[in-house]
Amino acid sequence: ADIISTVEFNHSGELLATGDKGGRVVIFQQEQENKTQSHSRGEYNVYSTFQSHEPEFDYLKSLEIEEKINKIRWLPQKNAAQFLLSTNDKTIKLWKISERDKRPEGYNLKEEDGRYRDPTTVTTLRVPVFRPMDLMVEASPRRIFANAHTYHINSISINSDYETYLSADDLRINLWHLEITDRSFNIVDIKPANMEELTEVITAAEFHPNSCSTFVYSSSKGTIRLCDMRASALCDRHSKLFEEPEDPSNRSFFSEIISSISDVKFSHSGRYMMTRDYLSVKIWDLNMENRPVETYQVHEYLRSKLCSLYENDCIFDKFECCWNGSDIVMTGSYNNFFRMFDRNSKRDITLEASRENNKPRTVLKPRKVCASGKRKKDEISVDSLDFNKKILHTAWHPKENIIAVATTNNLYIFQDKMN
Amino acid sequence: MFVRGLKRKCFDGEEDIEGTLAGIKAIPSYNLQRQSLLDMSLVKLQLCHMLVEPNLCRSVLIANTVRQIQEEMTQDGTWQMINTQSTGQASLDRLVSTDILCRSSRDQAEGKHIAAYGTFNKDFESDQAQDGSETMSTASSVQAPRNLQSNVWEMENPQENKGNFQKSLDQIFETLENKSPNSVEDLFSEVDNSYYDLDTMLTGMMSNTKMGHCDSLETFSSPTNTASNSNCKSDLNDLDHIVEILVES
């Protein structure tokens, strides 16, 4: 139940939320920067922990509904409280996280412990005042958006209008208003009339960061569709279709599986979007549909191992990816490795998130995987990679070079060296 | 395409392949590899029915892979249909249909009338329940070629299927009598409950798959293989028996 299933920074980067397989959400807060220690940014400490979703049982279908948190998305902050959306396979919840550091004291009719005083003993009146107390962080569910998805929810995305959001499952995408829980609009439906004809599912969806009527969704066949909600109420017909023609020389029985897109993310500017399939990360220019502008190989050495990876189901692992602005992209791999690609310098780096190999406050050593032939010192051969140690979830601070990397059970936070 | 990391099964069969599948230019073990991949995929699909709803994306991808392999095998000519009935062609299409691939072995034995229910997920429309009643009558005619297909795949344990077929047929009949959309879902929820059955089914399947390559290759090489024919005959007899029961009740 401690398996981390999602990681997300809020809009300021001060808070970092993680969701796990047991339905819990843990929020970390960055310490205020210490002026004297200017070479180190604040550390992240636990701020709040709460149980977001509980396991449920669908009696109609005799199936369990997992409480695992699939995605967390923060709302931009509008007042003192913080709001986030968290979702499991079926239900989305809006949580309010608020601080309480004062409490009223000096009631006339009540004692401090809450018992009512005998009115006859009240001889004078006083005005209650707020006195400081130990900080308490409270999380309360404010909205529950349920019963709108027959299939498993894989994505939620908040619109740039900050009033609506979308939720996507394998076959449908729904549009919600944050204030309204008993209704949602269905905006995409790819369910065939005859389920036997099903060959493609929706794997991820996201709203454009600036254009509130535009969103994209990716599929298991490696395509991305951009839809405009102004075109029609049901966006079954895409406005743009992004697809790269298949490379015939690389064709195998696994071609389709490895082309399935596991994550799609817009760059902060909204000009580009990034997709992650099993072996690579692709950067697309929204203005060009027929191929990506850049392709980065995450772990090409796995291409010859696809059959084994199919056998042990690793080929179905859904890796996420994230942007640093519009310049650097990051994604995870196996053996607790994660990769970063710099679009400008075309350099890439492989790093490892593990306690054994890295002491705190030391600079991470770049790693290298040896695909074949003689293994150099410090290189790791493909066969000794641990496929149970996978980094599926990573997040980049919106403003600073701080990253959060989730291994199966642990969360690592790295920052770049400052001096 | 050479798939590495896959255990070679049934080494004795290789000599046979080289002789009999002479038309195929590829490395002889390619067919074995492909067959292993097909078997593996079908096993993966069989594991759909668990307590938690199966991952639809994974099921779809595996089903597409199976379809791809089957299409290639059809083109190669290694896929030989042992059927004489006119519905044979229809059942080939059925085979390629994703629905079939996602069913557990006992469901496969139930034949075409299950097809309408779409086992990818438990989301059934009421019109599909009506389809079920229509296609019931065609069950017997499609059943024969389908079981023959199963023999070629060697995916099923025939003994298992007989018992489960009976039970599932009863359930279907009850369900259709009730004529409510939700009860169709209940049908599958009942079928899913027993882990014991899952284990037995798996054990049966795994032992079959090991033998599968040898048997299926023999079937490819000689369509008139008496072993497979006798299997067909006994299955047909079982079917007649069961359909009789159905009709009587």
Side-chain angles (χ1 to χ4, degrees), chain A residues 60-64 150-152 170 191 195-196 198-199 201 220 251-254 256-257 307-308 310-311 313 316 318, chain B residues 3 5 30 37 40-41 44 50-51 53 56-58 60 62 64-65 67-68 72 94 97-99 115 121 123 125 186 189:
Chain A
L60 224 50
K61 301 177 187 175
S62 270
L63 291 168
E64 279 182 7
T150 311
Y151 306 99
H152 292 179
D170 294 316
K191 182 175 180 224
M195 276 300 279
E196 294 167 30
L198 180 66
T199 57
V201 299
S220 56
R251 177 127 188 83
S252 75
F253 285 121
F254 306 108
E256 187 184 313
I257 299 179
C307 196
S308 312
Y310 180 69
E311 201 169 0
D313 265 9
F316 300 109
K318 293 193 190 299
Chain B
V3 255
Y30 172 79
L37 189 60
M40 197 199 316
S41 306
K44 281 182 187 295
M50 306 277 252
L51 202 56
E53 236 172 319
L56 188 64
C57 181
R58 179 176 171 272
V60 168
I62 298 174
N64 289 351
T65 308
R67 196 182 294 120
Q68 205 187 325
E72 200 183 278
R94 272 282 155 256
S97 146
T98 342
D99 166 66
N121 56 76
D123 171 30
E125 327 278 3
D186 287 339
S189 65

Short mmCIF file of all heavy atoms in Angstrom, two decimals, chain A residues 60-64 150-152 170 191 195-196 198-199 201 220 251-254 256-257 307-308 310-311 313 316 318, chain B residues 3 5 30 37 40-41 44 50-51 53 56-58 60 62 64-65 67-68 72 94 97-99 115 121 123 125 186 189:
data_model
loop_
_atom_site.label_atom_id
_atom_site.label_comp_id
_atom_site.label_asym_id
_atom_site.label_seq_id
_atom_site.Cartn_x
_atom_site.Cartn_y
_atom_site.Cartn_z
N LEU A 60 -22.73 -4.77 -8.33
CA LEU A 60 -23.38 -5.15 -9.59
C LEU A 60 -22.47 -6.03 -10.44
O LEU A 60 -22.91 -6.94 -11.11
CB LEU A 60 -23.74 -3.87 -10.34
CG LEU A 60 -25.11 -3.82 -10.98
CD1 LEU A 60 -26.20 -4.21 -10.01
CD2 LEU A 60 -25.37 -2.42 -11.51
N LYS A 61 -21.20 -5.71 -10.43
CA LYS A 61 -20.28 -6.44 -11.28
C LYS A 61 -19.42 -7.42 -10.49
O LYS A 61 -18.57 -8.09 -11.07
CB LYS A 61 -19.36 -5.47 -12.02
CG LYS A 61 -20.09 -4.48 -12.89
CD LYS A 61 -19.10 -3.52 -13.51
CE LYS A 61 -19.80 -2.40 -14.27
NZ LYS A 61 -18.84 -1.40 -14.76
N SER A 62 -19.60 -7.46 -9.18
CA SER A 62 -18.76 -8.30 -8.32
C SER A 62 -17.28 -8.03 -8.53
O SER A 62 -16.49 -8.94 -8.73
CB SER A 62 -19.02 -9.78 -8.62
OG SER A 62 -20.05 -10.26 -7.81
N LEU A 63 -16.93 -6.77 -8.53
CA LEU A 63 -15.54 -6.42 -8.74
C LEU A 63 -15.13 -5.38 -7.71
O LEU A 63 -15.90 -4.51 -7.33
CB LEU A 63 -15.33 -5.82 -10.14
CG LEU A 63 -15.49 -6.78 -11.30
CD1 LEU A 63 -15.55 -6.00 -12.59
CD2 LEU A 63 -14.34 -7.76 -11.36
N GLU A 64 -13.87 -5.46 -7.32
CA GLU A 64 -13.34 -4.45 -6.41
C GLU A 64 -12.99 -3.20 -7.18
O GLU A 64 -12.55 -3.28 -8.33
CB GLU A 64 -12.07 -4.98 -5.75
CG GLU A 64 -12.34 -5.88 -4.58
CD GLU A 64 -11.04 -6.33 -3.92
OE1 GLU A 64 -9.97 -5.83 -4.31
OE2 GLU A 64 -11.12 -7.19 -3.04
N THR A 150 -17.42 4.45 -16.59
CA THR A 150 -17.58 3.00 -16.60
C THR A 150 -16.23 2.32 -16.59
O THR A 150 -16.07 1.24 -16.05
CB THR A 150 -18.34 2.57 -17.87
OG1 THR A 150 -19.49 3.37 -18.01
CG2 THR A 150 -18.74 1.12 -17.80
N TYR A 151 -15.26 2.93 -17.21
CA TYR A 151 -13.93 2.34 -17.32
C TYR A 151 -12.98 3.08 -16.38
O TYR A 151 -13.38 4.00 -15.69
CB TYR A 151 -13.46 2.39 -18.78
CG TYR A 151 -14.48 1.75 -19.68
CD1 TYR A 151 -15.39 2.51 -20.40
CD2 TYR A 151 -14.58 0.36 -19.77
CE1 TYR A 151 -16.37 1.92 -21.18
CE2 TYR A 151 -15.55 -0.24 -20.55
CZ TYR A 151 -16.44 0.54 -21.24
OH TYR A 151 -17.41 -0.05 -22.00
N HIS A 152 -11.75 2.65 -16.36
CA HIS A 152 -10.81 3.18 -15.37
C HIS A 152 -10.28 4.54 -15.78
O HIS A 152 -9.74 4.71 -16.86
CB HIS A 152 -9.64 2.21 -15.19
CG HIS A 152 -10.05 0.94 -14.54
ND1 HIS A 152 -9.18 -0.09 -14.30
CD2 HIS A 152 -11.25 0.51 -14.08
CE1 HIS A 152 -9.81 -1.09 -13.73
NE2 HIS A 152 -11.07 -0.75 -13.59
N ASP A 170 -10.66 4.81 -20.24
CA ASP A 170 -10.15 4.11 -21.42
C ASP A 170 -10.91 4.45 -22.69
O ASP A 170 -10.36 4.36 -23.79
CB ASP A 170 -10.24 2.58 -21.20
CG ASP A 170 -9.31 2.11 -20.09
OD1 ASP A 170 -8.16 2.58 -20.07
OD2 ASP A 170 -9.75 1.31 -19.27
N LYS A 191 -16.01 4.44 -27.68
CA LYS A 191 -16.49 3.08 -27.49
C LYS A 191 -17.21 2.62 -28.76
O LYS A 191 -18.11 3.30 -29.22
CB LYS A 191 -17.45 3.04 -26.31
CG LYS A 191 -17.95 1.67 -26.01
CD LYS A 191 -18.80 1.68 -24.74
CE LYS A 191 -19.29 0.25 -24.49
NZ LYS A 191 -20.66 0.17 -24.12
N MET A 195 -18.46 -4.13 -28.80
CA MET A 195 -17.19 -4.15 -28.07
C MET A 195 -16.18 -5.10 -28.69
O MET A 195 -14.98 -4.97 -28.44
CB MET A 195 -17.44 -4.55 -26.61
CG MET A 195 -17.86 -3.39 -25.73
SD MET A 195 -16.64 -2.07 -25.67
CE MET A 195 -15.50 -2.71 -24.46
N GLU A 196 -16.65 -6.03 -29.47
CA GLU A 196 -15.69 -6.94 -30.11
C GLU A 196 -14.78 -6.22 -31.08
O GLU A 196 -13.71 -6.70 -31.41
CB GLU A 196 -16.45 -8.02 -30.88
CG GLU A 196 -17.24 -8.95 -29.99
CD GLU A 196 -18.18 -9.78 -30.82
OE1 GLU A 196 -17.85 -10.05 -32.00
OE2 GLU A 196 -19.25 -10.13 -30.32
N LEU A 198 -13.35 -3.44 -30.54
CA LEU A 198 -12.47 -2.52 -29.85
C LEU A 198 -11.02 -2.85 -30.12
O LEU A 198 -10.56 -3.96 -29.87
CB LEU A 198 -12.74 -2.60 -28.35
CG LEU A 198 -11.89 -1.69 -27.47
CD1 LEU A 198 -12.21 -0.24 -27.75
CD2 LEU A 198 -12.12 -1.99 -26.00
N THR A 199 -10.29 -1.87 -30.65
CA THR A 199 -8.87 -2.11 -30.89
C THR A 199 -8.00 -0.99 -30.34
O THR A 199 -6.77 -1.06 -30.40
CB THR A 199 -8.56 -2.23 -32.40
OG1 THR A 199 -9.01 -1.04 -33.04
CG2 THR A 199 -9.23 -3.43 -33.02
N VAL A 201 -7.65 2.25 -27.23
CA VAL A 201 -8.20 2.91 -26.04
C VAL A 201 -7.48 4.23 -25.82
O VAL A 201 -6.39 4.47 -26.35
CB VAL A 201 -8.06 2.02 -24.78
CG1 VAL A 201 -8.80 0.72 -24.93
CG2 VAL A 201 -6.61 1.77 -24.44
N SER A 220 -3.69 4.05 -27.47
CA SER A 220 -2.82 2.88 -27.36
C SER A 220 -2.19 2.53 -28.70
O SER A 220 -1.35 1.64 -28.77
CB SER A 220 -3.64 1.69 -26.85
OG SER A 220 -4.73 1.47 -27.71
N ARG A 251 9.89 -3.14 -37.41
CA ARG A 251 8.58 -3.77 -37.21
C ARG A 251 8.72 -5.13 -36.53
O ARG A 251 9.57 -5.94 -36.87
CB ARG A 251 7.90 -3.95 -38.57
CG ARG A 251 6.60 -4.65 -38.51
CD ARG A 251 5.50 -3.85 -39.21
NE ARG A 251 4.21 -4.48 -38.96
CZ ARG A 251 3.50 -4.26 -37.85
NH1 ARG A 251 3.95 -3.41 -36.97
NH2 ARG A 251 2.37 -4.87 -37.65
N SER A 252 7.88 -5.37 -35.53
CA SER A 252 7.85 -6.68 -34.88
C SER A 252 6.44 -6.88 -34.34
O SER A 252 5.59 -6.01 -34.50
CB SER A 252 8.86 -6.73 -33.73
OG SER A 252 8.37 -6.00 -32.63
N PHE A 253 6.20 -8.01 -33.73
CA PHE A 253 4.89 -8.25 -33.16
C PHE A 253 4.60 -7.29 -32.01
O PHE A 253 3.47 -7.11 -31.60
CB PHE A 253 4.76 -9.68 -32.65
CG PHE A 253 4.59 -10.68 -33.74
CD1 PHE A 253 5.49 -11.72 -33.92
CD2 PHE A 253 3.52 -10.59 -34.63
CE1 PHE A 253 5.33 -12.64 -34.93
CE2 PHE A 253 3.36 -11.50 -35.65
CZ PHE A 253 4.27 -12.54 -35.80
N PHE A 254 5.66 -6.68 -31.50
CA PHE A 254 5.48 -5.80 -30.35
C PHE A 254 5.39 -4.34 -30.75
O PHE A 254 5.29 -3.47 -29.89
CB PHE A 254 6.64 -6.00 -29.37
CG PHE A 254 6.81 -7.43 -28.96
CD1 PHE A 254 7.89 -8.17 -29.42
CD2 PHE A 254 5.89 -8.05 -28.15
CE1 PHE A 254 8.04 -9.49 -29.06
CE2 PHE A 254 6.02 -9.37 -27.78
CZ PHE A 254 7.11 -10.09 -28.24
N GLU A 256 3.12 -2.48 -31.99
CA GLU A 256 1.98 -1.70 -31.54
C GLU A 256 2.04 -1.46 -30.04
O GLU A 256 1.77 -0.36 -29.56
CB GLU A 256 0.67 -2.41 -31.89
CG GLU A 256 -0.52 -1.51 -31.58
CD GLU A 256 -1.85 -2.18 -31.83
OE1 GLU A 256 -2.01 -2.79 -32.90
OE2 GLU A 256 -2.71 -2.09 -30.94
N ILE A 257 2.44 -2.48 -29.31
CA ILE A 257 2.45 -2.33 -27.86
C ILE A 257 3.43 -1.24 -27.44
O ILE A 257 3.14 -0.42 -26.57
CB ILE A 257 2.81 -3.65 -27.17
CG1 ILE A 257 1.78 -4.71 -27.52
CG2 ILE A 257 2.90 -3.47 -25.66
CD1 ILE A 257 2.05 -6.07 -26.90
N CYS A 307 10.55 -9.44 -26.08
CA CYS A 307 9.78 -10.66 -25.82
C CYS A 307 9.78 -10.99 -24.33
O CYS A 307 8.74 -11.34 -23.76
CB CYS A 307 10.32 -11.81 -26.64
SG CYS A 307 9.17 -13.17 -26.70
N SER A 308 10.94 -10.90 -23.69
CA SER A 308 10.99 -11.16 -22.25
C SER A 308 10.16 -10.14 -21.48
O SER A 308 9.48 -10.47 -20.51
CB SER A 308 12.42 -11.07 -21.73
OG SER A 308 13.27 -11.81 -22.54
N TYR A 310 7.63 -8.67 -22.55
CA TYR A 310 6.22 -8.98 -22.78
C TYR A 310 5.80 -10.11 -21.85
O TYR A 310 4.73 -10.09 -21.26
CB TYR A 310 6.01 -9.38 -24.24
CG TYR A 310 4.60 -9.73 -24.61
CD1 TYR A 310 3.61 -8.76 -24.65
CD2 TYR A 310 4.25 -11.04 -24.95
CE1 TYR A 310 2.31 -9.08 -25.02
CE2 TYR A 310 2.96 -11.36 -25.32
CZ TYR A 310 1.99 -10.39 -25.35
OH TYR A 310 0.71 -10.71 -25.72
N GLU A 311 6.69 -11.06 -21.70
CA GLU A 311 6.39 -12.21 -20.85
C GLU A 311 6.17 -11.79 -19.40
O GLU A 311 5.24 -12.25 -18.74
CB GLU A 311 7.55 -13.20 -20.95
CG GLU A 311 7.19 -14.60 -20.57
CD GLU A 311 8.30 -15.58 -20.94
OE1 GLU A 311 9.34 -15.14 -21.49
OE2 GLU A 311 8.12 -16.76 -20.66
N ASP A 313 5.36 -8.88 -18.40
CA ASP A 313 4.40 -7.78 -18.37
C ASP A 313 5.02 -6.39 -18.24
O ASP A 313 4.30 -5.40 -18.18
CB ASP A 313 3.39 -7.96 -17.23
CG ASP A 313 2.13 -8.63 -17.73
OD1 ASP A 313 2.12 -9.09 -18.89
OD2 ASP A 313 1.15 -8.68 -16.97
N PHE A 316 4.08 -3.40 -20.49
CA PHE A 316 2.87 -2.61 -20.29
C PHE A 316 3.05 -1.52 -19.25
O PHE A 316 2.09 -0.81 -18.92
CB PHE A 316 1.70 -3.52 -19.87
CG PHE A 316 1.39 -4.58 -20.89
CD1 PHE A 316 1.69 -5.91 -20.65
CD2 PHE A 316 0.82 -4.23 -22.10
CE1 PHE A 316 1.42 -6.88 -21.60
CE2 PHE A 316 0.54 -5.20 -23.06
CZ PHE A 316 0.85 -6.53 -22.81
N LYS A 318 3.55 1.87 -17.56
CA LYS A 318 3.20 3.21 -18.06
C LYS A 318 4.11 4.25 -17.42
O LYS A 318 3.92 4.64 -16.27
CB LYS A 318 1.74 3.51 -17.74
CG LYS A 318 0.79 2.62 -18.50
CD LYS A 318 -0.64 3.15 -18.42
CE LYS A 318 -1.64 2.17 -18.97
NZ LYS A 318 -1.45 1.84 -20.37
N VAL B 3 13.13 -13.54 -31.85
CA VAL B 3 12.83 -13.08 -30.51
C VAL B 3 13.72 -13.79 -29.52
O VAL B 3 13.68 -15.02 -29.44
CB VAL B 3 11.36 -13.32 -30.13
CG1 VAL B 3 10.59 -12.04 -30.18
CG2 VAL B 3 10.72 -14.34 -31.05
N GLY B 5 15.33 -14.52 -25.63
CA GLY B 5 14.82 -14.60 -24.26
C GLY B 5 13.63 -15.53 -24.15
O GLY B 5 12.91 -15.53 -23.18
N TYR B 30 11.25 -19.85 -36.20
CA TYR B 30 10.41 -18.66 -36.18
C TYR B 30 8.97 -19.03 -35.90
O TYR B 30 8.28 -18.40 -35.11
CB TYR B 30 10.51 -17.92 -37.52
CG TYR B 30 9.53 -16.78 -37.66
CD1 TYR B 30 9.79 -15.55 -37.05
CD2 TYR B 30 8.34 -16.93 -38.36
CE1 TYR B 30 8.89 -14.52 -37.16
CE2 TYR B 30 7.44 -15.88 -38.48
CZ TYR B 30 7.73 -14.67 -37.88
OH TYR B 30 6.84 -13.65 -37.99
N LEU B 37 4.60 -17.22 -28.72
CA LEU B 37 4.10 -15.88 -28.46
C LEU B 37 2.58 -15.88 -28.44
O LEU B 37 1.95 -15.27 -27.57
CB LEU B 37 4.62 -14.92 -29.53
CG LEU B 37 4.38 -13.44 -29.29
CD1 LEU B 37 5.03 -13.00 -28.01
CD2 LEU B 37 4.91 -12.63 -30.46
N MET B 40 1.41 -17.61 -25.27
CA MET B 40 1.64 -16.72 -24.13
C MET B 40 0.58 -15.64 -24.08
O MET B 40 0.05 -15.30 -23.03
CB MET B 40 3.04 -16.10 -24.27
CG MET B 40 3.56 -15.50 -22.98
SD MET B 40 4.91 -14.32 -23.24
CE MET B 40 5.93 -15.14 -24.42
N SER B 41 0.28 -15.08 -25.25
CA SER B 41 -0.71 -14.00 -25.30
C SER B 41 -2.07 -14.50 -24.89
O SER B 41 -2.80 -13.82 -24.16
CB SER B 41 -0.78 -13.42 -26.72
OG SER B 41 0.50 -13.04 -27.15
N LYS B 44 -2.24 -14.85 -21.23
CA LYS B 44 -2.38 -13.55 -20.60
C LYS B 44 -3.82 -13.06 -20.66
O LYS B 44 -4.34 -12.46 -19.73
CB LYS B 44 -1.48 -12.53 -21.30
CG LYS B 44 -0.02 -12.61 -20.89
CD LYS B 44 0.76 -11.52 -21.60
CE LYS B 44 2.24 -11.65 -21.36
NZ LYS B 44 2.59 -11.46 -19.95
N MET B 50 -10.32 -11.64 -12.96
CA MET B 50 -9.85 -11.64 -11.58
C MET B 50 -10.83 -10.86 -10.74
O MET B 50 -11.85 -10.41 -11.22
CB MET B 50 -8.46 -10.99 -11.52
CG MET B 50 -7.49 -11.62 -12.47
SD MET B 50 -6.75 -13.07 -11.79
CE MET B 50 -5.12 -12.53 -11.45
N LEU B 51 -10.45 -10.65 -9.50
CA LEU B 51 -11.35 -9.95 -8.60
C LEU B 51 -11.43 -8.46 -8.94
O LEU B 51 -12.47 -7.83 -8.82
CB LEU B 51 -10.87 -10.13 -7.16
CG LEU B 51 -11.94 -9.92 -6.09
CD1 LEU B 51 -13.12 -10.83 -6.35
CD2 LEU B 51 -11.36 -10.19 -4.72
N GLU B 53 -11.15 -5.51 -11.78
CA GLU B 53 -11.38 -5.41 -13.23
C GLU B 53 -10.05 -5.39 -13.99
O GLU B 53 -9.13 -4.69 -13.61
CB GLU B 53 -12.13 -4.12 -13.53
CG GLU B 53 -13.40 -4.35 -14.28
CD GLU B 53 -14.22 -3.08 -14.41
OE1 GLU B 53 -14.30 -2.33 -13.42
OE2 GLU B 53 -14.76 -2.85 -15.48
N LEU B 56 -8.00 -2.61 -19.23
CA LEU B 56 -8.55 -2.69 -20.59
C LEU B 56 -7.48 -2.43 -21.64
O LEU B 56 -7.42 -3.10 -22.67
CB LEU B 56 -9.69 -1.68 -20.74
CG LEU B 56 -10.47 -1.77 -22.04
CD1 LEU B 56 -11.19 -3.10 -22.14
CD2 LEU B 56 -11.48 -0.64 -22.15
N CYS B 57 -6.61 -1.48 -21.37
CA CYS B 57 -5.55 -1.15 -22.33
C CYS B 57 -4.68 -2.37 -22.58
O CYS B 57 -4.39 -2.72 -23.73
CB CYS B 57 -4.73 0.01 -21.79
SG CYS B 57 -3.42 0.53 -22.90
N ARG B 58 -4.28 -3.03 -21.53
CA ARG B 58 -3.43 -4.21 -21.67
C ARG B 58 -4.14 -5.30 -22.47
O ARG B 58 -3.58 -5.90 -23.38
CB ARG B 58 -3.06 -4.71 -20.27
CG ARG B 58 -2.20 -5.94 -20.22
CD ARG B 58 -1.84 -6.25 -18.77
NE ARG B 58 -1.18 -7.53 -18.65
CZ ARG B 58 -1.81 -8.69 -18.49
NH1 ARG B 58 -3.12 -8.69 -18.42
NH2 ARG B 58 -1.14 -9.82 -18.39
N VAL B 60 -6.52 -4.98 -24.64
CA VAL B 60 -6.66 -4.59 -26.04
C VAL B 60 -5.34 -4.80 -26.78
O VAL B 60 -5.30 -5.33 -27.89
CB VAL B 60 -7.11 -3.12 -26.16
CG1 VAL B 60 -6.97 -2.61 -27.58
CG2 VAL B 60 -8.55 -2.99 -25.72
N ILE B 62 -2.88 -6.86 -26.04
CA ILE B 62 -2.59 -8.29 -26.20
C ILE B 62 -3.48 -8.88 -27.29
O ILE B 62 -3.02 -9.64 -28.15
CB ILE B 62 -2.79 -9.05 -24.87
CG1 ILE B 62 -1.84 -8.53 -23.81
CG2 ILE B 62 -2.58 -10.54 -25.09
CD1 ILE B 62 -2.08 -9.12 -22.44
N ASN B 64 -4.79 -7.38 -29.82
CA ASN B 64 -4.31 -6.93 -31.13
C ASN B 64 -3.09 -7.73 -31.56
O ASN B 64 -2.92 -8.05 -32.74
CB ASN B 64 -3.96 -5.44 -31.09
CG ASN B 64 -5.19 -4.56 -30.99
OD1 ASN B 64 -6.32 -5.04 -31.12
ND2 ASN B 64 -5.00 -3.28 -30.75
N THR B 65 -2.22 -8.04 -30.61
CA THR B 65 -1.03 -8.83 -30.93
C THR B 65 -1.44 -10.21 -31.41
O THR B 65 -0.90 -10.73 -32.40
CB THR B 65 -0.12 -8.95 -29.69
OG1 THR B 65 0.13 -7.66 -29.17
CG2 THR B 65 1.20 -9.61 -30.05
N ARG B 67 -4.23 -11.06 -32.76
CA ARG B 67 -4.85 -10.94 -34.08
C ARG B 67 -3.78 -10.82 -35.16
O ARG B 67 -3.86 -11.42 -36.23
CB ARG B 67 -5.77 -9.72 -34.11
CG ARG B 67 -6.72 -9.74 -35.29
CD ARG B 67 -7.60 -8.51 -35.34
NE ARG B 67 -8.52 -8.45 -34.22
CZ ARG B 67 -8.56 -7.47 -33.34
NH1 ARG B 67 -7.74 -6.46 -33.43
NH2 ARG B 67 -9.42 -7.50 -32.35
N GLN B 68 -2.77 -10.06 -34.85
CA GLN B 68 -1.68 -9.86 -35.80
C GLN B 68 -0.99 -11.18 -36.11
O GLN B 68 -0.70 -11.49 -37.26
CB GLN B 68 -0.69 -8.90 -35.16
CG GLN B 68 0.16 -8.12 -36.13
CD GLN B 68 1.21 -7.34 -35.37
OE1 GLN B 68 0.96 -6.87 -34.26
NE2 GLN B 68 2.38 -7.24 -35.95
N GLU B 72 -0.94 -13.21 -39.69
CA GLU B 72 0.29 -13.62 -40.35
C GLU B 72 0.28 -15.12 -40.59
O GLU B 72 0.71 -15.60 -41.64
CB GLU B 72 1.50 -13.24 -39.50
CG GLU B 72 2.78 -13.20 -40.30
CD GLU B 72 3.98 -12.90 -39.43
OE1 GLU B 72 4.20 -11.72 -39.14
OE2 GLU B 72 4.68 -13.87 -39.04
N ARG B 94 -14.76 -14.76 -36.30
CA ARG B 94 -15.01 -14.79 -34.86
C ARG B 94 -13.71 -14.96 -34.11
O ARG B 94 -13.48 -14.37 -33.07
CB ARG B 94 -15.91 -15.99 -34.51
CG ARG B 94 -17.36 -15.72 -34.60
CD ARG B 94 -17.86 -14.94 -33.39
NE ARG B 94 -19.06 -14.22 -33.74
CZ ARG B 94 -19.07 -12.92 -33.95
NH1 ARG B 94 -17.99 -12.22 -33.80
NH2 ARG B 94 -20.18 -12.31 -34.28
N SER B 97 -11.90 -11.99 -33.75
CA SER B 97 -12.59 -11.02 -32.92
C SER B 97 -11.97 -10.96 -31.54
O SER B 97 -11.66 -11.95 -30.94
CB SER B 97 -14.06 -11.41 -32.82
OG SER B 97 -14.57 -11.07 -31.57
N THR B 98 -11.80 -9.76 -31.08
CA THR B 98 -11.14 -9.54 -29.80
C THR B 98 -11.87 -10.22 -28.67
O THR B 98 -11.27 -10.69 -27.73
CB THR B 98 -11.16 -8.04 -29.47
OG1 THR B 98 -11.42 -7.32 -30.65
CG2 THR B 98 -9.86 -7.63 -28.86
N ASP B 99 -13.18 -10.26 -28.80
CA ASP B 99 -13.98 -10.77 -27.72
C ASP B 99 -13.58 -12.19 -27.34
O ASP B 99 -13.38 -12.50 -26.18
CB ASP B 99 -15.45 -10.75 -28.14
CG ASP B 99 -16.30 -11.58 -27.20
OD1 ASP B 99 -16.41 -11.20 -26.05
OD2 ASP B 99 -16.77 -12.63 -27.65
N ALA B 115 -20.64 -14.20 -27.53
CA ALA B 115 -19.90 -13.16 -28.23
C ALA B 115 -20.56 -11.80 -28.10
O ALA B 115 -19.91 -10.80 -27.96
CB ALA B 115 -19.77 -13.54 -29.70
N ASN B 121 -15.19 -6.01 -20.72
CA ASN B 121 -15.54 -5.35 -19.47
C ASN B 121 -16.95 -5.76 -19.16
O ASN B 121 -17.62 -6.38 -19.95
CB ASN B 121 -15.46 -3.85 -19.65
CG ASN B 121 -16.34 -3.41 -20.76
OD1 ASN B 121 -17.55 -3.35 -20.61
ND2 ASN B 121 -15.78 -3.15 -21.91
N ASP B 123 -19.57 -4.03 -18.92
CA ASP B 123 -20.54 -3.00 -19.26
C ASP B 123 -21.43 -3.50 -20.38
O ASP B 123 -21.03 -3.52 -21.52
CB ASP B 123 -19.80 -1.73 -19.69
CG ASP B 123 -20.75 -0.70 -20.27
OD1 ASP B 123 -21.90 -0.68 -19.85
OD2 ASP B 123 -20.30 0.06 -21.14
N GLU B 125 -25.02 -3.52 -22.56
CA GLU B 125 -26.21 -2.78 -22.93
C GLU B 125 -27.38 -3.74 -22.98
O GLU B 125 -27.21 -4.91 -23.23
CB GLU B 125 -26.04 -2.12 -24.30
CG GLU B 125 -24.64 -1.69 -24.61
CD GLU B 125 -24.30 -0.35 -24.00
OE1 GLU B 125 -25.15 0.20 -23.30
OE2 GLU B 125 -23.20 0.13 -24.23
N ASP B 186 -24.38 -10.20 -14.02
CA ASP B 186 -24.32 -11.17 -12.92
C ASP B 186 -23.82 -12.51 -13.42
O ASP B 186 -23.14 -13.23 -12.72
CB ASP B 186 -25.72 -11.37 -12.32
CG ASP B 186 -26.13 -10.16 -11.51
OD1 ASP B 186 -25.23 -9.40 -11.11
OD2 ASP B 186 -27.32 -9.99 -11.31
N SER B 189 -20.25 -12.39 -13.26
CA SER B 189 -19.73 -12.22 -11.91
C SER B 189 -19.73 -13.56 -11.20
O SER B 189 -18.83 -13.86 -10.44
CB SER B 189 -20.58 -11.21 -11.15
OG SER B 189 -21.88 -11.73 -10.97
#
